[in-house]
Amino acid sequence: MVIGSEIKNILQKGVNVKPYLSTFPDLENTAVLFKPFKPGENFNIREDWIRPANPTFSNVSVKTPARIHFSLFDYTKMNPPRPGGGGIGISTSVFKTNITMYVDGNKKSNNDFPPSTRHNILLFEKLTDYKIDNVHIQRTADLPYSHHGYGSNVVVNTSIFYGLNILFGKPFSDHEIFEILTYNYVENTDDTNVHWGFDTGVGEACLLFGGFVLVDENGKFIGNIEVREFYSVMAKGNMANIALPDYLKRGLAMNGETGLVEAKINEEVGMLHQKEYGDQIKEFLRMEMEPIFINKDKDQLFKKIWRFNDIGTFKRMQRSYRPDVMLDFEAKSKAAGTVYSGISSAGPSMFALFNEKEKAETLKNSLTETLSKYFDNFRVAQAGEKIETSTGT
């Protein structure tokens, strides 16, 4: 079992164990370890990904939405550095990250980024055999929260890698970028180091392919269903008021789920949910969701997807957050005409999706009046958009 005896021993002993990383992509026996390492170390690279490239454009601008993750499929498949767990998701433009890149042959770049971002820049360097010391990268992020359900880390890192790919004339396809990033996903340990992170692949898929996306429990992208004139209502959860005492005792009010804290929660809480609902989730995924996404049947998706609220992450998080608040949010969303409502990733932020902006605004106003003790920063924006870029020669 991935989240089992190995990680439990590590957590109990508190020792530094050197991870065993078998040759990519055979990572079945990789332990879930979070020993810090420096950006540029421990890449998982496939030979056919290595292709020399040079900048094609002088500058690139990248605009990237945030992401919503509806439901995790399988905790036992979460085995960094391999992607796993899967899920369904969609982007939300309530927050945008803006990246600009330009090539300057006369000046050395001074890109001051967190280590996880530097790791991805060095990964691109390694794959293209090009030292990126003359590419200036500037970031303006509208997303002020991390580990609240918006995918802040995956958004920035996908934006950087995708922007570099455009700048260099697209040496990698979108599907290749999805695989490269999901097999090299890291989180920031501090201002200097990174550690392997849990990555379902849903964030990268939302941003690269747009619309509703489905990634199976093994981290394989199954497909997407495009949407037009589609809107999201997002509410940032107030951890101190919405979380149950056990969740708060774990130190999550400030830091959210990441690293060893997330591993321990998966072991002690997530696996309880997996044992009770795992078989139902897997059957629902295979028999209902996969055919819907293969056939791109949006109408059937809206009819069937509510099942996840009875067996998936929405149900699981009621072990950690106040069920009455979560159910009240869901009920108000249904009354307003949502096509789907739930909790994003491990929360505490919740969402509702609409075909009409007017209905979305009505729900936003209602939630602001009635649930502001538990949520704040209520926002309405387009959902289902993917990364946008523009170039200059």
Side-chain angles (χ1 to χ4, degrees):
M1 181 182 295
V2 171
I3 304 174
S5 60
E6 289 180 287
I7 185 62
K8 183 175 286 186
N9 289 337
I10 294 165
L11 292 168
Q12 290 174 344
K13 295 177 182 178
V15 297
N16 290 327
V17 180
K18 184 177 180 179
Y20 167 72
L21 298 180
S22 55
T23 304
F24 180 91
D26 181 17
L27 300 172
E28 291 291 352
N29 297 316
T30 304
V32 182
L33 302 175
F34 298 94
K35 182 179 179 181
F37 57 91
K38 294 189 180 301
E41 298 179 348
N42 295 332
F43 288 142
N44 285 315
I45 294 177
R46 215 164 58 195
E47 264 190 54
D48 61 305
W49 289 345
I50 299 175
R51 56 197 69 168
N54 295 285
T56 300
F57 299 100
S58 63
N59 61 82
V60 169
S61 296
V62 185
K63 293 183 179 180
T64 312
R67 73 97 174 93
I68 308 171
H69 185 189
F70 303 169
S71 194
L72 184 77
F73 297 145
D74 192 341
Y75 282 92
T76 70
K77 298 291 186 178
M78 300 182 76
N79 182 20
R82 190 181 192 131
I88 292 179
I90 194 170
S91 72
T92 173
S93 294
V94 295
F95 294 110
K96 287 261 190 173
T97 295
N98 296 307
I99 306 287
T100 57
M101 305 178 175
Y102 67 94
V103 179
D104 187 341
N106 299 317
K107 295 182 179 179
K108 187 177 179 64
S109 66
N110 182 23
N111 300 318
D112 185 18
F113 287 113
S116 63
T117 305
R118 297 200 301 270
H119 185 76
N120 279 274
I121 293 173
L122 292 171
L123 173 61
F124 191 88
E125 284 190 356
K126 183 75 172 178
L127 294 175
T128 58
D129 192 27
Y130 184 95
K131 183 67 174 175
I132 303 175
D133 58 1
N134 65 334
V135 178
H136 295 256
I137 305 173
Q138 296 176 325
R139 180 189 69 168
T140 303
D142 187 31
L143 178 49
Y145 313 113
S146 60
H147 304 297
H148 274 74
Y150 296 98
S152 56
N153 192 60
V154 72
V155 165
V156 172
N157 293 335
T158 303
S159 299
I160 294 289
F161 197 96
Y162 189 86
L164 288 171
N165 191 56
I166 297 296
L167 189 71
F168 280 63
K170 297 192 72 172
F172 307 105
S173 69
D174 290 350
H175 286 273
E176 286 175 321
I177 293 174
F178 173 81
E179 287 197 328
I180 291 168
L181 292 178
T182 56
Y183 276 93
N184 288 278
Y185 183 78
V186 295
E187 297 269 6
N188 296 309
T189 302
D190 48 35
D191 292 337
T192 304
N193 297 312
V194 297
H195 62 257
W196 294 119
F198 291 110
D199 188 22
T200 62
V202 171
E204 292 90 346
C206 288
L207 307 179
L208 292 169
F209 306 118
F212 289 92
V213 300
L214 174 63
V215 179
D216 75 7
E217 74 275 21
N218 297 308
K220 179 183 177 183
F221 174 68
I222 302 300
N224 69 316
I225 299 174
E226 295 182 1
V227 293
R228 295 181 180 178
E229 296 301 318
F230 205 67
Y231 299 93
S232 57
V233 178
M234 293 293 296
K236 196 268 294 181
N238 183 333
M239 186 75 80
N241 291 338
I242 196 176
L244 295 175
D246 173 70
Y247 216 46
L248 292 174
K249 287 178 183 178
R250 299 173 184 272
L252 293 164
M254 294 297 294
N255 300 321
E257 288 191 19
T258 183
L260 289 174
V261 173
E262 184 175 9
K264 192 170 185 179
I265 292 173
N266 289 343
E267 171 74 23
E268 297 178 357
V269 184
M271 287 304 296
L272 295 176
H273 181 84
Q274 189 71 34
K275 289 176 182 178
E276 185 173 356
Y277 294 100
D279 290 342
Q280 296 180 58
I281 294 172
K282 205 70 64 70
E283 181 181 7
F284 183 60
L285 169 63
R286 295 283 179 264
M287 302 303 294
E288 302 288 353
M289 288 294 107
E290 288 190 358
I292 283 173
F293 274 84
I294 290 171
N295 295 320
K296 298 186 179 296
D297 193 336
K298 183 171 60 177
D299 292 336
Q300 282 299 306
L301 176 65
F302 293 162
K303 290 179 181 179
K304 301 285 188 178
I305 197 170
W306 285 99
R307 173 70 172 149
F308 277 126
N309 284 27
D310 297 324
I311 61 176
T313 298
F314 187 82
K315 188 74 172 179
R316 149 47 197 123
M317 295 313 299
Q318 290 177 50
R319 296 177 183 266
S320 300
Y321 300 125
R322 286 184 52 173
D324 59 323
V325 176
M326 292 179 63
L327 292 170
D328 193 16
F329 189 105
E330 180 191 52
K332 285 181 169 59
S333 299
K334 285 182 175 180
T338 185
V339 299
Y340 183 61
S341 174
I343 193 163
S344 181
S345 188
S349 299
M350 294 187 66
F351 68 89
L353 301 171
F354 291 87
N355 285 316
E356 300 176 30
K357 188 174 183 180
E358 184 177 355
K359 290 182 178 179
E361 293 286 357
T362 299
L363 176 64
K364 173 195 166 186
N365 294 335
S366 171
L367 295 174
T368 303
E369 292 176 2
T370 59
L371 291 181
S372 58
K373 178 179 178 181
Y374 307 104
F375 302 93
D376 56 53
N377 211 331
F378 300 92
R379 293 192 178 197
V380 172
Q382 194 92 13
E385 296 180 301
K386 59 182 179 180
I387 293 180
E388 297 179 10
T389 62
S390 60
T391 60
T393 56

